[in-house]
Amino acid sequence: MKKYLLICFSLGSLLAQAQSTYSSSGAEITLQQEQLIPTYINIPQPQGLVDENSPWLHVNIPLYEESDINSVRKAKIARLKFKRRFYFKLSKDPSFQKDVFESGPKRWSFYNPYEHLSKGKWFWKYGVADPETPDKPIWHNETFSFQITGNERITPIPPKPEELVNIVISRPAPTFQLFREEFGNLLPTETWPEMANWGYTYYERKYNDNMSMSYTISDKDAIDAGYVDGNGVPNAQLIFYRKLLNNGITLRKRYINDLVAGYLLLGDRKFLDRAITKSRELWNFFNSGSSYIASLGVNLVVKDEVWDRPYELKNFIDISPDVLTEAEKKEIIDEVYPSTWSYPQDSEYAEHIVYEQHMWQEFMEKLKTPLIFARYKEEAREELKYAYELWLYRAPALSRTDGGSLEGDGYLGVHDSYLATIPWLLYKLTGYNYFKAHPWFANHGKYLTYINPFGNAGNPFCDGDTGGATMPYLMEMMAYMVPENYWNLWRFRTIGRSGYKNFTADLGKKDIALALLSLWTHVSPPDTTAMTPPAELASHFQDIGEVGMHTDLGNEKNNLHVVMHASPYGSGQHLHPAQNAFNVAYGGQDLFWKTGFYNGGDWHNQLSYKNSRAHNTIMANGMSQGFHKSSYGWMPRFVHGEQISYALGDASKAYNDQNNYKSDKYKDENGNFLLAQTVPYLPEYGFGNPGVTKFRRHLSMLRPNIIVIYDELEAKEPITWEFRLHSRRYMKKINEQWFLGKNDHAAASARLFCISPTETQLYSEYLKNEREPGYIKPAPQDAWRMRPVDDENKLPKPIPEHYHGVIKTKGAHTKMRFLTVIQIFPGENENYKPVDFKSEGTDLISVKAGEYTIQAQLNGEQPSFLEITNSDNTAGLISGTGAEKLKVGEVVHTAKVPGSTLLFEQNKKGEIFKEVTDSLPDVLIYGNTY
């Protein structure tokens, strides 16, 4: 009879008492939580263990009752939001009678004592005061506690918010990015003469362009773009014209930014004069412009359609207030600033929500506005304190400390500028180096190196995944500011700096380009001449749930790159439902890779691109994984050697019938729920709960060219199981359960073994979509194959075919095991005919691949078992619930805990032996969630 050990965690990210169960082996953890990481932090934190000193205290006190009707909610929000006062007390004395840190009144619900805390148990409490009695808090009757063990990271103490405000208002404008003394002195004439010479010519040309600030769009734009029917009549959708309208504003904003950059770099007043003139013209056009689209019979009003506001006069209040009239200045200070005061809207939200992509993407403006207006308005000074402390508490927010990105890397580039600019600005103002203060920055170069190495294919688990995220500005900034960090220097050396033409163009688009010019005048460049590639060829990032394995990090042309994903954050926003998905690249190019196109229309998006169906993972009973934070995975194990790297992902909770786009607002004619107002949310389309209870995927890289995947699959009732394998380039079916793929540098053989009869299919042709002549509505099970719709004119033309391999059990099974062996053949192509794997056995199968022998238990009724050894007895690995002893040649290692993963290797450096069991990510251990 199984014995279970119940343990409770004191967590900031879970319910106060979250539960996990350990199986009788003691090696395997089964998580029972419906959702690992909540959307909002709802309990006081920290409690229990922390891993930073000093931690931030944080509470979430609702503004209204859930039972309140909307009108009552709105009234309470208007009265309370950013108007209540929060009070905190912190002490080692539970009665708070001696040595007490007190926050005093704060409009926001988090607090730090700005001192390092001594070892021991610390107690804290909070109170909340009504706006009408701000100096009379009502103290919560419960006391909370956390432990300082002495093993926490010591966070450098930053200046207090009052100090920052005093620094800002005590010096003349500008205070954002550049200081007055830097104007006209930033061109790198000696260190980068190409950029300096080009910059001078570039800005003179921009000045002479004298771009008009008004424009119109029409059906001619659609005709020129090829959006016409067989009779030549324009048939573009409304979104096409809206994009054009917005692009026009963006283009003109960049032109004005270029003029401003020309003034800052060259110091010539004529650029500033033209910039202010153009700003006034663009603002007038924004308020009065429109375009009539005859084919649609609509008049598009610029002010109503454009979401990106034009370059505004308020920007000059910092750059050069003297260009504004007194009336304009007064209006900006008295009217424009209050209308853009953002933090009363963000408060009671930004600190509680675990992650909100757009808020953090826009954080630069949220800090910039109060910083500029602090010398003029008390409200701005209060907002600046809030923005500064929110940054210290939460930034960078993309993951906890491991340097990763919880929404994937496709949109990581939008964080490049502010993540570099804000720390540099704070350093210039205060001398505080935030790059050294937060471990996320210390680990970011490492994360990019293993998950998204420069020259490789990118991170495939998210939107916008067609190329690698380089983060060039952030990595250069960190290489300068923290040159003792190897990963900063390595990443900077491998990606380098953009060309001088692109860099100059960025001066009119990105704050960070100006920040780098400023940096170069203050900090000496780092020395990267002695850099060598990372010694370790694999690493895992457990908090975000990803692992990267490689064969050559020094030369992408020889590199076999494998990544696997199982995220505790589930899926949502830009992160796809891709739990336990893996991807393979070789030579810097994708090979077996997720498929589909961003911006491909609702049907393609919901059924293919943003669906686990398009990832290299498992479909259960024809159903895909949930697209929701509760549809989570996690990575319990990772172990690494020179010859073998291994990771274990758990996606047992991923198939839970949850979807962010499912809404009871939208139903079809039969009353069925729809996704995105279009796609029926029905089992025949792949939506539902198949009753999966276990999906543990073991993935091993066997250097130099073999990948082994072993899947443990279980469900409540007998169901069918599908192994899915994809390519954006080419695949062909060699035989049953066997595919060949290729890219420009290699061919790859992928063969699956299981004891159940299967059917193997390969799809590579799109079905016509609803916009194409001859469209016939496909059967629900085939709807995912429809050709993407290119309404936004962003897809390649013609849209390339993608390849989808499916190996499906013919019968239904409660338990199933798959073993998949992938071999990479450099220099080969689709004509390569790989030699058949030598295999024997039916349940405990033995497969010979290259120099490795792989054994795996395929009978789901038996304990799971995977064993790998090489022919010269220098490397071996064993894992699974049946793992007890690893024998490599004459060497035998016995597991201390049955069911562990054991790795043994013998190389020139000597012998290594590692034993690992399931371990929890830090986000589930420590009480300081952020």
Side-chain angles (χ1 to χ4, degrees):
M1 183 175 179
K2 290 185 177 180
K3 177 183 177 182
Y4 293 92
L5 172 64
L6 183 66
I7 63 173
C8 293
F9 304 107
S10 189
L11 306 175
S13 62
L14 301 176
L15 299 175
Q17 301 206 335
Q19 298 176 345
S20 282
T21 54
Y22 283 79
S23 69
S24 56
S25 70
E28 183 176 314
I29 297 176
T30 302
L31 295 179
Q32 301 293 352
Q33 294 90 327
E34 292 303 313
Q35 184 170 316
L36 281 187
I37 314 296
T39 303
Y40 295 94
I41 303 301
N42 291 319
I43 66 170
Q45 67 165 29
Q47 299 180 59
L49 292 176
V50 297
D51 65 346
E52 70 172 339
N53 188 353
S54 60
W56 288 79
L57 313 183
H58 171 216
V59 296
N60 183 354
I61 311 301
L63 291 161
Y64 52 80
E65 303 293 332
E66 287 298 320
S67 58
D68 289 341
I69 61 175
N70 283 339
S71 60
V72 174
R73 291 184 179 191
K74 290 179 180 179
K76 287 184 177 180
I77 291 172
R79 195 181 79 82
L80 299 175
K81 195 172 189 181
F82 210 70
K83 297 173 184 175
R84 295 183 296 181
R85 302 298 192 273
F86 293 86
Y87 290 76
F88 295 88
K89 289 183 180 181
L90 172 67
S91 177
K92 295 178 83 171
D93 174 12
S95 65
F96 300 97
Q97 297 301 309
K98 60 181 180 179
D99 300 326
V100 181
F101 292 100
E102 296 194 57
S103 68
K106 297 170 68 70
R107 290 177 182 263
W108 42 98
S109 58
F110 51 97
Y111 164 71
N112 190 283
Y114 290 88
E115 286 192 29
H116 294 135
L117 306 179
S118 60
K119 281 199 246 184
K121 191 171 185 177
W122 285 83
F123 301 90
W124 66 278
K125 63 189 302 185
Y126 69 89
V128 183
D130 190 86
E132 296 180 8
T133 55
D135 58 346
K136 296 179 180 180
I138 297 175
W139 289 93
H140 185 70
N141 57 14
E142 186 176 359
T143 297
F144 307 96
S145 66
F146 59 88
Q147 193 77 24
I148 295 293
T149 65
N151 297 320
E152 299 80 12
R153 68 178 185 272
I154 302 298
T155 302
I157 302 299
K160 293 183 178 180
E162 294 79 11
E163 297 175 58
L164 175 66
V165 170
N166 288 336
I167 290 170
V168 168
I169 65 178
S170 65
R171 61 171 297 119
T175 48
F176 180 77
Q177 282 297 22
L178 300 181
F179 296 159
R180 179 68 57 183
E181 58 268 25
E182 294 179 300
F183 285 15
N185 298 312
L186 293 173
L187 279 180
T189 54
E190 295 183 5
T191 57
W192 201 7
E194 298 89 350
M195 184 267 151
N197 294 334
W198 172 260
Y200 180 82
T201 304
Y202 176 86
Y203 292 117
E204 286 294 336
R205 187 175 72 249
K206 287 291 181 180
Y207 179 83
N208 292 328
D209 283 347
N210 199 14
M211 180 185 288
S212 171
M213 294 294 102
S214 61
Y215 61 97
T216 59
I217 60 173
S218 68
D219 285 327
K220 184 177 183 303
D221 295 293
I223 295 171
D224 292 343
Y227 286 99
V228 293
D229 62 18
N231 298 318
V233 177
N235 61 358
Q237 301 295 304
L238 184 60
I239 191 172
F240 170 81
Y241 298 101
R242 284 175 168 161
K243 287 279 186 182
L244 287 182
L245 212 56
N246 278 274
N247 290 344
I249 290 289
T250 299
L251 183 66
R252 283 153 181 83
K253 280 183 65 174
R254 288 178 179 173
Y255 175 72
I256 298 173
N257 271 316
D258 279 331
L259 294 175
V260 172
Y263 168 62
L264 299 178
L265 269 66
L266 305 181
D268 192 330
R269 179 78 181 207
K270 70 179 183 181
F271 293 98
L272 182 62
D273 292 340
R274 178 151 291 176
I276 192 76
T277 299
K278 294 298 180 181
S279 295
R280 291 183 174 119
E281 291 176 2
L282 185 57
W283 185 249
N284 289 335
F285 170 74
F286 174 77
N287 284 289
S288 61
S290 65
S291 289
Y292 182 70
I293 312 301
S295 62
L296 300 177
V298 298
N299 188 51
L300 297 181
V301 177
V302 174
K303 192 171 184 177
D304 296 337
E305 300 293 342
V306 169
W307 53 79
D308 191 9
R309 292 171 67 87
Y311 199 97
E312 298 177 60
L313 291 177
K314 72 181 182 72
N315 292 290
F316 295 99
I317 199 77
D318 188 54
I319 297 169
S320 188
D322 60 291
V323 303
L324 302 170
T325 66
E326 288 302 315
E328 287 171 334
K329 190 183 300 185
K330 186 177 188 308
E331 179 184 3
I332 290 170
I333 294 171
D334 294 341
E335 298 179 23
V336 175
Y337 170 72
S339 72
T340 58
W341 189 24
S342 61
Y343 272 103
Q345 285 74 45
D346 289 337
S347 67
E348 304 281 356
Y349 170 75
E351 59 263 39
H352 305 321
I353 191 168
V354 170
Y355 178 69
E356 208 295 313
Q357 56 180 329
H358 293 125
M359 196 210 74
W360 287 102
Q361 291 171 14
E362 298 162 4
F363 195 86
M364 180 78 76
E365 291 299 319
K366 297 180 183 301
L367 182 70
K368 178 180 180 179
T369 299
L371 187 116
I372 290 172
F373 283 91
R375 69 185 67 253
Y376 303 111
K377 306 283 285 188
E378 173 59 34
E379 298 95 327
R381 293 190 280 278
E382 187 78 352
E383 181 182 353
L384 179 56
K385 293 176 187 177
Y386 180 87
Y388 172 65
E389 286 212 304
L390 184 64
W391 173 268
L392 295 178
Y393 176 34
R394 292 296 319 278
L398 287 166
S399 76
R400 194 172 180 277
T401 63
D402 61 11
S405 171
L406 60 84
E407 66 169 345
D409 292 356
Y411 271 72
L412 186 57
V414 301
H415 303 275
D416 188 19
S417 182
Y418 80 87
L419 285 177
T421 302
I422 292 174
W424 171 243
L425 174 62
L426 295 178
Y427 179 79
K428 282 177 63 176
L429 287 168
T430 70
Y432 183 73
N433 192 342
Y434 194 74
F435 292 123
K436 289 185 175 182
H438 201 294
W440 186 91
F441 288 101
N443 289 319
H444 186 54
K446 180 180 181 180
Y447 165 80
L448 290 174
T449 295
Y450 286 104
I451 301 300
N452 209 333
F454 182 63
N456 282 263
N459 186 323
F461 306 114
C462 54
D463 289 340
D465 59 347
T466 53
T470 56
M471 303 294 281
Y473 287 109
L474 176 59
M475 294 316 306
E476 180 167 0
M477 184 71 77
M478 291 200 297
Y480 272 76
M481 294 295 290
V482 194
E484 62 270 25
N485 184 313
Y486 165 85
W487 299 106
N488 293 347
L489 299 188
W490 173 252
R491 186 68 179 180
F492 176 46
R493 174 170 176 169
T494 55
I495 64 176
R497 185 184 296 160
S498 63
Y500 62 87
K501 293 183 180 180
N502 289 336
F503 181 84
T504 305
D506 280 349
L507 290 169
K509 294 185 290 185
K510 299 179 179 180
D511 294 305
I512 183 55
L514 284 173
L516 270 185
L517 285 178
S518 175
L519 172 81
W520 298 338
T521 65
H522 290 76
V523 183
S524 299
D527 182 5
T528 63
T529 56
M531 296 297 297
T532 57
E536 300 294 330
L537 291 174
S539 188
H540 81 314
F541 303 88
Q542 197 178 21
D543 268 348
I544 62 161
E546 288 183 1
V547 64
M549 304 175 181
H550 302 266
T551 58
D552 190 344
L553 280 168
N555 182 358
E556 70 273 9
K557 296 304 179 185
N558 299 324
N559 189 34
L560 172 59
H561 174 197
V562 180
V563 287
M564 186 168 74
H565 171 94
S567 173
Y569 292 90
S571 50
Q573 301 187 81
H574 290 304
L575 188 64
H576 288 197
Q579 309 303 345
N580 274 359
F582 71 91
N583 287 266
V584 180
Y586 183 82
Q589 193 177 73
D590 53 271
L591 188 48
F592 292 126
W593 210 255
K594 64 92 49 173
T595 53
F597 296 93
Y598 195 23
N599 307 109
D602 285 347
W603 284 91
H604 180 73
N605 190 54
Q606 304 296 331
L607 296 180
S608 187
Y609 176 74
K610 214 162 188 171
N611 190 298
S612 63
R613 178 188 276 110
H615 288 266
N616 297 325
T617 187
I618 298 293
M619 288 192 72
N621 220 32
M623 297 177 190
S624 55
Q625 296 174 2
F627 180 46
H628 194 266
K629 289 182 180 292
S630 64
S631 310
Y632 67 83
W634 65 297
M635 303 199 76
R637 301 187 195 181
F638 170 77
V639 64
H640 165 64
E642 290 188 0
Q643 298 181 69
I644 299 176
S645 295
Y646 165 91
L648 172 64
D650 191 321
S652 303
K653 293 288 187 177
Y655 300 81
N656 65 349
D657 195 25
Q658 298 297 308
N659 194 297
N660 293 308
Y661 293 131
K662 177 184 175 183
S663 173
D664 56 7
K665 294 180 181 179
Y666 307 114
K667 298 181 181 180
D668 66 11
E669 63 276 9
N670 298 315
N672 299 310
F673 290 136
L674 295 175
L675 293 180
Q677 307 178 47
T678 307
V679 182
Y681 194 84
L682 296 169
E684 49 264 43
Y685 287 92
F687 301 108
N689 189 337
V692 172
T693 57
K694 175 179 275 191
F695 175 19
R696 282 168 70 94
R697 168 164 278 181
H698 308 252
L699 185 146
S700 297
M701 172 183 277
L702 315 180
R703 295 178 179 84
N705 70 326
I706 296 172
I707 303 158
V708 174
I709 298 139
Y710 178 54
D711 294 324
E712 302 178 54
L713 304 164
E714 296 183 11
K716 294 177 182 178
E717 303 290 341
I719 61 173
T720 58
W721 301 92
E722 294 178 31
F723 180 93
R724 298 187 73 90
L725 188 70
H726 307 271
S727 174
R728 293 175 171 178
R729 299 185 179 275
Y730 177 84
M731 283 175 64
K732 73 177 180 181
K733 178 179 172 181
I734 298 177
N735 210 326
E736 286 300 310
Q737 304 177 351
W738 198 356
F739 295 110
L740 181 78
K742 80 167 187 77
N743 67 12
D744 294 339
H745 308 290
S749 163
R751 184 167 180 186
L752 180 141
F753 301 88
C754 71
I755 60 176
S756 166
T758 60
E759 52 185 355
T760 304
Q761 293 177 305
L762 180 65
Y763 303 98
S764 62
E765 293 184 4
Y766 291 117
L767 303 178
K768 292 181 179 180
N769 65 47
E770 66 273 22
R771 301 282 174 81
E772 296 179 291
Y775 162 74
I776 299 175
K777 187 175 182 179
Q781 64 269 23
D782 293 324
W784 64 274
R785 296 171 54 197
M786 284 193 294
R787 192 185 313 278
V789 174
D790 190 16
D791 273 342
E792 298 187 32
N793 196 28
K794 290 185 176 181
L795 304 186
K797 296 179 178 58
I799 297 173
E801 306 285 355
H802 287 173
Y803 295 79
H804 313 277
V806 179
I807 302 173
K808 179 180 178 181
T809 61
K810 289 184 177 179
H813 304 268
T814 304
K815 297 180 181 180
M816 179 51 55
R817 304 272 171 77
F818 290 147
L819 174 70
T820 306
V821 181
I822 300 174
Q823 285 184 295
I824 312 300
F825 304 98
E828 301 295 344
N829 57 35
E830 68 269 23
N831 297 316
Y832 184 73
K833 296 182 179 179
V835 177
D836 198 357
F837 295 96
K838 295 181 179 179
S839 60
E840 57 185 31
T842 53
D843 288 4
L844 184 62
I845 190 172
S846 180
V847 177
K848 183 71 167 63
E851 299 302 313
Y852 291 88
T853 298
I854 303 137
Q855 288 194 75
Q857 176 57 257
L858 298 183
N859 186 340
E861 299 299 330
Q862 298 297 319
S864 59
F865 181 82
L866 173 68
E867 183 183 66
I868 299 168
T869 55
N870 66 353
S871 58
D872 62 3
N873 296 319
T874 59
L877 177 136
I878 192 170
S879 195
T881 55
E884 295 183 355
K885 292 183 180 180
L886 172 62
K887 187 175 186 295
V888 182
E890 299 302 316
V891 178
V892 178
H893 288 280
T894 301
K896 294 180 180 179
V897 181
S900 300
T901 297
L902 308 181
L903 172 69
F904 170 81
E905 287 193 8
Q906 187 174 33
N907 51 50
K908 295 178 181 179
K909 298 178 182 178
E911 292 186 358
I912 64 167
F913 172 72
K914 300 177 182 179
E915 178 174 353
V916 298
T917 60
D918 286 7
S919 65
L920 295 169
D922 286 353
V923 72
L924 299 184
I925 297 174
Y926 295 109
N928 49 317
T929 301
Y930 299 141

